[in-house]
Amino acid sequence: MSKSAKLDLGEKQIELPIIEGSEGERAVDISKLRAETGFITMDNGFGNSGSCESKITFIDGEKGILKHRGYTIENLSEKSSFLELAYLLFNQKLPSADELTSFKGKITERSRIPEGIKALIKSFPKEAHPMSIASAAMVALSAHYPELTDQDLNDSQKNEIFPLLLGQFKTIAAAIYRHGQGESFVDPDPSLDYTADFLYMMKGKQVNPEIAKALDVLLILHADHEQNCSAATVRVVGSSKANLFASLSAGIDALWGPLHGGANQAVLEMLEAIQKDGGGYEKFISKAKDKEDPFRLMGFGHRVYKNFDPRAKVIKSYCDEVLEALETEDPLLDIAKGLEKTALSDEYFVSRKLFPNVDFYSGIIYKALGIPTNMFTVMFALGRQPGWMSQWRELVESPAMRITRPRQIYQGKTDEKL
Ligand code: CMC
């Protein structure tokens, strides 16, 4: 294959280098384009723009493949734990038994949150959206760990901040839930595994291990997803040399939107609306297809996947298992399955390659676990911590790192005078 591409701009021709990835993806490197021709590229929503080279996550959206550091998501969700995957993302390799024990120990040691963070959470109205508290608590942590607020953290500080933030955010997420319920906070129990401890702090009692296992799988499925809106945000903020707490807080904000992580909340609200309306999905499918109507089928479609989102397949199979373990039924699951079947045989969705994404079924599991709808996106944020931190680490360790600063084409008024 040619190692360069020729671009003919009429008045100027230029040869642009081609970069090839380890899984065969190809990119035209346009970094010298403006300097050599005066042109920039336009790419609304960055649908065709690579912002970095990365060794963390690979997605083949056409084939529905997701891999982290070479391992498929199906393999990881079946054989590893959330903490093993977190370690893999951050350290580029799976932990040995001793490394995993030491990693878990560090997280457990640092899981108690400062009193100031507890006070901050309590200062929010009970009705506040949990994502607003999550974002505020994350950035506020920087004031409690000032020694870790440098962009140029050394290796030992990086190895300290990663378990610290995994431990702290677990406790923060549980405390946010308790605050919304008007309940007092529960301290972490060092004898419990990560997910079991989170559920213990949330519920105030130990939960069935099968439930903790199901939630652990959900966290695995959310751990990273390459350059999505929130990971890209973490990198953009990190590129200004803002500290990791600020970068993660910005990632939480980006995740909150209903076109991104907030879709899990929107899906459940949509399923409940369909149920309230009598359960017929056709009306909602028609609304989603109507270009005059802003309504979209939430949990459907993806910028990268033009095939089944592999995470949605795993979650769908877990839905039945979790409801069975909890000896409960949820009519929303039947509505979701029916909606999926109808949409997947509808020309509108077929021709646009719109499939269920990770958010389509996750809410049904969260609901079965007794997690309120407005906490769903915090659950996503809990799972995404290792991904964001690994993306940040890769950014700050890259010799190619520069501040992110896109260009524009100005289309406003010219030569106005007062
Ligand atoms: N319902 C109805 N039509 C849709 C949907 C949908 N959910 N998604 C895309 N379309 C249509 C869209 O109207 C457009 O049609 P046309 O070509 O006729 O103009 C076409 O499909 C392409 O859509 P797009 O908006 O250009 O695609 P995008 O890559 O910019 O957006 C998306 C991707 C995920 C934001 C979008 O599919 C969407 O809004 N989905 C619903 C929200 C959702 O489930 N988000 C979670 C994403 S996965 C997890 C995560 O990222 O956190």
Side-chain angles (χ1 to χ4, degrees), residues 4-27:
S4 66
K6 291 187 179 67
L7 180 64
D8 188 344
L9 296 162
E11 74 247 40
K12 215 154 195 165
Q13 291 75 40
I14 179 172
E15 209 156 303
L16 299 162
I18 287 183
I19 299 172
E20 188 163 351
S22 57
E23 290 269 11
E25 292 164 300
R26 285 172 295 174

PDB file of all heavy atoms in Angstrom, residues 4-27:
ATOM      1  N   SER A   4       1.774   7.296   1.088  1.00  0.00           N
ATOM      2  CA  SER A   4       1.351   8.698   1.084  1.00  0.00           C
ATOM      3  C   SER A   4       0.144   8.873   0.165  1.00  0.00           C
ATOM      4  O   SER A   4      -0.135   8.018  -0.677  1.00  0.00           O
ATOM      5  CB  SER A   4       2.500   9.601   0.640  1.00  0.00           C
ATOM      6  OG  SER A   4       2.804   9.348  -0.695  1.00  0.00           O
ATOM      7  N   ALA A   5      -0.582   9.994   0.370  1.00  0.00           N
ATOM      8  CA  ALA A   5      -1.746  10.296  -0.472  1.00  0.00           C
ATOM      9  C   ALA A   5      -1.471  11.618  -1.166  1.00  0.00           C
ATOM     10  O   ALA A   5      -0.836  12.515  -0.592  1.00  0.00           O
ATOM     11  CB  ALA A   5      -2.983  10.424   0.410  1.00  0.00           C
ATOM     12  N   LYS A   6      -1.955  11.738  -2.417  1.00  0.00           N
ATOM     13  CA  LYS A   6      -1.723  13.000  -3.140  1.00  0.00           C
ATOM     14  C   LYS A   6      -3.009  13.793  -3.113  1.00  0.00           C
ATOM     15  O   LYS A   6      -4.075  13.287  -3.438  1.00  0.00           O
ATOM     16  CB  LYS A   6      -1.334  12.696  -4.588  1.00  0.00           C
ATOM     17  CG  LYS A   6       0.031  12.066  -4.706  1.00  0.00           C
ATOM     18  CD  LYS A   6       0.438  11.951  -6.184  1.00  0.00           C
ATOM     19  CE  LYS A   6       1.820  11.343  -6.309  1.00  0.00           C
ATOM     20  NZ  LYS A   6       1.913   9.954  -5.901  1.00  0.00           N
ATOM     21  N   LEU A   7      -2.894  15.066  -2.714  1.00  0.00           N
ATOM     22  CA  LEU A   7      -4.069  15.929  -2.673  1.00  0.00           C
ATOM     23  C   LEU A   7      -3.871  17.057  -3.683  1.00  0.00           C
ATOM     24  O   LEU A   7      -2.871  17.782  -3.620  1.00  0.00           O
ATOM     25  CB  LEU A   7      -4.236  16.498  -1.249  1.00  0.00           C
ATOM     26  CG  LEU A   7      -5.418  17.417  -1.010  1.00  0.00           C
ATOM     27  CD1 LEU A   7      -6.745  16.677  -1.202  1.00  0.00           C
ATOM     28  CD2 LEU A   7      -5.372  17.974   0.417  1.00  0.00           C
ATOM     29  N   ASP A   8      -4.830  17.182  -4.592  1.00  0.00           N
ATOM     30  CA  ASP A   8      -4.736  18.207  -5.634  1.00  0.00           C
ATOM     31  C   ASP A   8      -5.705  19.332  -5.293  1.00  0.00           C
ATOM     32  O   ASP A   8      -6.920  19.156  -5.344  1.00  0.00           O
ATOM     33  CB  ASP A   8      -5.088  17.570  -6.986  1.00  0.00           C
ATOM     34  CG  ASP A   8      -4.815  18.531  -8.137  1.00  0.00           C
ATOM     35  OD1 ASP A   8      -4.651  19.738  -7.874  1.00  0.00           O
ATOM     36  OD2 ASP A   8      -4.775  18.058  -9.291  1.00  0.00           O
ATOM     37  N   LEU A   9      -5.161  20.470  -4.912  1.00  0.00           N
ATOM     38  CA  LEU A   9      -6.014  21.600  -4.524  1.00  0.00           C
ATOM     39  C   LEU A   9      -6.123  22.629  -5.647  1.00  0.00           C
ATOM     40  O   LEU A   9      -6.418  23.799  -5.405  1.00  0.00           O
ATOM     41  CB  LEU A   9      -5.445  22.271  -3.259  1.00  0.00           C
ATOM     42  CG  LEU A   9      -5.435  21.385  -2.013  1.00  0.00           C
ATOM     43  CD1 LEU A   9      -4.484  21.932  -0.963  1.00  0.00           C
ATOM     44  CD2 LEU A   9      -6.832  21.271  -1.419  1.00  0.00           C
ATOM     45  N   GLY A  10      -5.864  22.232  -6.863  1.00  0.00           N
ATOM     46  CA  GLY A  10      -5.913  23.157  -7.983  1.00  0.00           C
ATOM     47  C   GLY A  10      -4.637  23.938  -8.073  1.00  0.00           C
ATOM     48  O   GLY A  10      -3.694  23.543  -8.776  1.00  0.00           O
ATOM     49  N   GLU A  11      -4.559  25.008  -7.238  1.00  0.00           N
ATOM     50  CA  GLU A  11      -3.353  25.842  -7.289  1.00  0.00           C
ATOM     51  C   GLU A  11      -2.138  25.142  -6.674  1.00  0.00           C
ATOM     52  O   GLU A  11      -1.009  25.558  -6.850  1.00  0.00           O
ATOM     53  CB  GLU A  11      -3.600  27.196  -6.593  1.00  0.00           C
ATOM     54  CG  GLU A  11      -3.642  27.134  -5.081  1.00  0.00           C
ATOM     55  CD  GLU A  11      -5.022  27.428  -4.502  1.00  0.00           C
ATOM     56  OE1 GLU A  11      -6.020  26.971  -5.060  1.00  0.00           O
ATOM     57  OE2 GLU A  11      -5.072  28.121  -3.477  1.00  0.00           O
ATOM     58  N   LYS A  12      -2.409  24.087  -5.906  1.00  0.00           N
ATOM     59  CA  LYS A  12      -1.304  23.426  -5.196  1.00  0.00           C
ATOM     60  C   LYS A  12      -1.551  21.919  -5.074  1.00  0.00           C
ATOM     61  O   LYS A  12      -2.701  21.511  -4.912  1.00  0.00           O
ATOM     62  CB  LYS A  12      -1.222  24.040  -3.791  1.00  0.00           C
ATOM     63  CG  LYS A  12       0.168  24.143  -3.306  1.00  0.00           C
ATOM     64  CD  LYS A  12       0.372  25.234  -2.300  1.00  0.00           C
ATOM     65  CE  LYS A  12       1.897  25.391  -2.238  1.00  0.00           C
ATOM     66  NZ  LYS A  12       2.295  26.565  -1.605  1.00  0.00           N
ATOM     67  N   GLN A  13      -0.502  21.149  -5.169  1.00  0.00           N
ATOM     68  CA  GLN A  13      -0.613  19.708  -4.938  1.00  0.00           C
ATOM     69  C   GLN A  13       0.291  19.374  -3.739  1.00  0.00           C
ATOM     70  O   GLN A  13       1.334  19.996  -3.582  1.00  0.00           O
ATOM     71  CB  GLN A  13      -0.140  18.878  -6.141  1.00  0.00           C
ATOM     72  CG  GLN A  13      -1.032  18.974  -7.373  1.00  0.00           C
ATOM     73  CD  GLN A  13      -0.852  20.298  -8.090  1.00  0.00           C
ATOM     74  OE1 GLN A  13       0.269  20.779  -8.207  1.00  0.00           O
ATOM     75  NE2 GLN A  13      -1.944  20.915  -8.529  1.00  0.00           N
ATOM     76  N   ILE A  14      -0.158  18.436  -2.967  1.00  0.00           N
ATOM     77  CA  ILE A  14       0.656  18.078  -1.789  1.00  0.00           C
ATOM     78  C   ILE A  14       0.589  16.570  -1.567  1.00  0.00           C
ATOM     79  O   ILE A  14      -0.435  15.931  -1.838  1.00  0.00           O
ATOM     80  CB  ILE A  14       0.189  18.867  -0.532  1.00  0.00           C
ATOM     81  CG1 ILE A  14       1.007  18.480   0.695  1.00  0.00           C
ATOM     82  CG2 ILE A  14      -1.275  18.711  -0.255  1.00  0.00           C
ATOM     83  CD1 ILE A  14       0.749  19.321   1.928  1.00  0.00           C
ATOM     84  N   GLU A  15       1.682  16.042  -1.065  1.00  0.00           N
ATOM     85  CA  GLU A  15       1.726  14.622  -0.733  1.00  0.00           C
ATOM     86  C   GLU A  15       1.604  14.516   0.794  1.00  0.00           C
ATOM     87  O   GLU A  15       2.361  15.171   1.523  1.00  0.00           O
ATOM     88  CB  GLU A  15       3.056  14.036  -1.208  1.00  0.00           C
ATOM     89  CG  GLU A  15       2.903  12.580  -1.535  1.00  0.00           C
ATOM     90  CD  GLU A  15       3.957  12.111  -2.530  1.00  0.00           C
ATOM     91  OE1 GLU A  15       4.043  12.700  -3.625  1.00  0.00           O
ATOM     92  OE2 GLU A  15       4.680  11.169  -2.185  1.00  0.00           O
ATOM     93  N   LEU A  16       0.644  13.733   1.241  1.00  0.00           N
ATOM     94  CA  LEU A  16       0.396  13.631   2.684  1.00  0.00           C
ATOM     95  C   LEU A  16       0.718  12.217   3.158  1.00  0.00           C
ATOM     96  O   LEU A  16       0.310  11.236   2.519  1.00  0.00           O
ATOM     97  CB  LEU A  16      -1.081  13.934   2.982  1.00  0.00           C
ATOM     98  CG  LEU A  16      -1.560  15.330   2.573  1.00  0.00           C
ATOM     99  CD1 LEU A  16      -3.079  15.380   2.495  1.00  0.00           C
ATOM    100  CD2 LEU A  16      -1.045  16.367   3.556  1.00  0.00           C
ATOM    101  N   PRO A  17       1.434  12.101   4.286  1.00  0.00           N
ATOM    102  CA  PRO A  17       1.793  10.763   4.767  1.00  0.00           C
ATOM    103  C   PRO A  17       0.558   9.962   5.191  1.00  0.00           C
ATOM    104  O   PRO A  17      -0.434  10.547   5.655  1.00  0.00           O
ATOM    105  CB  PRO A  17       2.677  11.034   5.987  1.00  0.00           C
ATOM    106  CG  PRO A  17       2.903  12.492   6.038  1.00  0.00           C
ATOM    107  CD  PRO A  17       1.931  13.178   5.156  1.00  0.00           C
ATOM    108  N   ILE A  18       0.611   8.646   5.030  1.00  0.00           N
ATOM    109  CA  ILE A  18      -0.462   7.770   5.507  1.00  0.00           C
ATOM    110  C   ILE A  18       0.045   7.026   6.740  1.00  0.00           C
ATOM    111  O   ILE A  18       1.169   6.514   6.755  1.00  0.00           O
ATOM    112  CB  ILE A  18      -0.894   6.790   4.399  1.00  0.00           C
ATOM    113  CG1 ILE A  18      -1.689   7.588   3.356  1.00  0.00           C
ATOM    114  CG2 ILE A  18      -1.738   5.638   4.951  1.00  0.00           C
ATOM    115  CD1 ILE A  18      -2.265   6.798   2.234  1.00  0.00           C
ATOM    116  N   ILE A  19      -0.807   7.006   7.765  1.00  0.00           N
ATOM    117  CA  ILE A  19      -0.443   6.286   8.996  1.00  0.00           C
ATOM    118  C   ILE A  19      -1.308   5.035   9.032  1.00  0.00           C
ATOM    119  O   ILE A  19      -2.514   5.107   8.785  1.00  0.00           O
ATOM    120  CB  ILE A  19      -0.773   7.150  10.248  1.00  0.00           C
ATOM    121  CG1 ILE A  19       0.018   8.445  10.211  1.00  0.00           C
ATOM    122  CG2 ILE A  19      -0.539   6.380  11.535  1.00  0.00           C
ATOM    123  CD1 ILE A  19      -0.382   9.442  11.282  1.00  0.00           C
ATOM    124  N   GLU A  20      -0.705   3.890   9.338  1.00  0.00           N
ATOM    125  CA  GLU A  20      -1.500   2.665   9.430  1.00  0.00           C
ATOM    126  C   GLU A  20      -1.434   2.118  10.852  1.00  0.00           C
ATOM    127  O   GLU A  20      -0.376   2.046  11.472  1.00  0.00           O
ATOM    128  CB  GLU A  20      -0.978   1.622   8.438  1.00  0.00           C
ATOM    129  CG  GLU A  20      -1.907   0.427   8.393  1.00  0.00           C
ATOM    130  CD  GLU A  20      -1.718  -0.455   7.166  1.00  0.00           C
ATOM    131  OE1 GLU A  20      -0.978  -0.055   6.249  1.00  0.00           O
ATOM    132  OE2 GLU A  20      -2.319  -1.543   7.153  1.00  0.00           O
ATOM    133  N   GLY A  21      -2.618   1.741  11.375  1.00  0.00           N
ATOM    134  CA  GLY A  21      -2.671   1.208  12.741  1.00  0.00           C
ATOM    135  C   GLY A  21      -2.434  -0.293  12.768  1.00  0.00           C
ATOM    136  O   GLY A  21      -2.434  -0.963  11.727  1.00  0.00           O
ATOM    137  N   SER A  22      -2.268  -0.834  13.993  1.00  0.00           N
ATOM    138  CA  SER A  22      -1.938  -2.258  14.130  1.00  0.00           C
ATOM    139  C   SER A  22      -3.101  -3.160  13.731  1.00  0.00           C
ATOM    140  O   SER A  22      -2.909  -4.341  13.483  1.00  0.00           O
ATOM    141  CB  SER A  22      -1.488  -2.555  15.563  1.00  0.00           C
ATOM    142  OG  SER A  22      -2.510  -2.169  16.456  1.00  0.00           O
ATOM    143  N   GLU A  23      -4.318  -2.625  13.659  1.00  0.00           N
ATOM    144  CA  GLU A  23      -5.474  -3.421  13.215  1.00  0.00           C
ATOM    145  C   GLU A  23      -5.886  -3.041  11.792  1.00  0.00           C
ATOM    146  O   GLU A  23      -6.978  -3.362  11.340  1.00  0.00           O
ATOM    147  CB  GLU A  23      -6.666  -3.212  14.166  1.00  0.00           C
ATOM    148  CG  GLU A  23      -6.470  -3.822  15.550  1.00  0.00           C
ATOM    149  CD  GLU A  23      -6.993  -5.260  15.664  1.00  0.00           C
ATOM    150  OE1 GLU A  23      -7.316  -5.857  14.624  1.00  0.00           O
ATOM    151  OE2 GLU A  23      -7.067  -5.748  16.801  1.00  0.00           O
ATOM    152  N   GLY A  24      -5.009  -2.312  11.097  1.00  0.00           N
ATOM    153  CA  GLY A  24      -5.256  -2.030   9.682  1.00  0.00           C
ATOM    154  C   GLY A  24      -6.000  -0.726   9.396  1.00  0.00           C
ATOM    155  O   GLY A  24      -6.267  -0.415   8.232  1.00  0.00           O
ATOM    156  N   GLU A  25      -6.360   0.045  10.428  1.00  0.00           N
ATOM    157  CA  GLU A  25      -7.019   1.344  10.157  1.00  0.00           C
ATOM    158  C   GLU A  25      -6.004   2.279   9.507  1.00  0.00           C
ATOM    159  O   GLU A  25      -4.819   2.242   9.836  1.00  0.00           O
ATOM    160  CB  GLU A  25      -7.472   2.002  11.465  1.00  0.00           C
ATOM    161  CG  GLU A  25      -8.577   1.299  12.174  1.00  0.00           C
ATOM    162  CD  GLU A  25      -8.649   1.801  13.604  1.00  0.00           C
ATOM    163  OE1 GLU A  25      -7.663   1.652  14.341  1.00  0.00           O
ATOM    164  OE2 GLU A  25      -9.687   2.358  13.965  1.00  0.00           O
ATOM    165  N   ARG A  26      -6.500   3.147   8.617  1.00  0.00           N
ATOM    166  CA  ARG A  26      -5.586   4.055   7.927  1.00  0.00           C
ATOM    167  C   ARG A  26      -6.020   5.512   8.084  1.00  0.00           C
ATOM    168  O   ARG A  26      -7.216   5.793   8.144  1.00  0.00           O
ATOM    169  CB  ARG A  26      -5.518   3.702   6.444  1.00  0.00           C
ATOM    170  CG  ARG A  26      -4.691   2.449   6.209  1.00  0.00           C
ATOM    171  CD  ARG A  26      -4.766   1.981   4.806  1.00  0.00           C
ATOM    172  NE  ARG A  26      -6.114   1.554   4.464  1.00  0.00           N
ATOM    173  CZ  ARG A  26      -6.482   1.204   3.235  1.00  0.00           C
ATOM    174  NH1 ARG A  26      -5.631   1.282   2.251  1.00  0.00           N
ATOM    175  NH2 ARG A  26      -7.710   0.808   3.005  1.00  0.00           N
ATOM    176  N   ALA A  27      -5.039   6.380   8.162  1.00  0.00           N
ATOM    177  CA  ALA A  27      -5.326   7.809   8.289  1.00  0.00           C
ATOM    178  C   ALA A  27      -4.396   8.603   7.385  1.00  0.00           C
ATOM    179  O   ALA A  27      -3.243   8.205   7.162  1.00  0.00           O
ATOM    180  CB  ALA A  27      -5.110   8.253   9.734  1.00  0.00           C
TER     181      ALA A  27
END
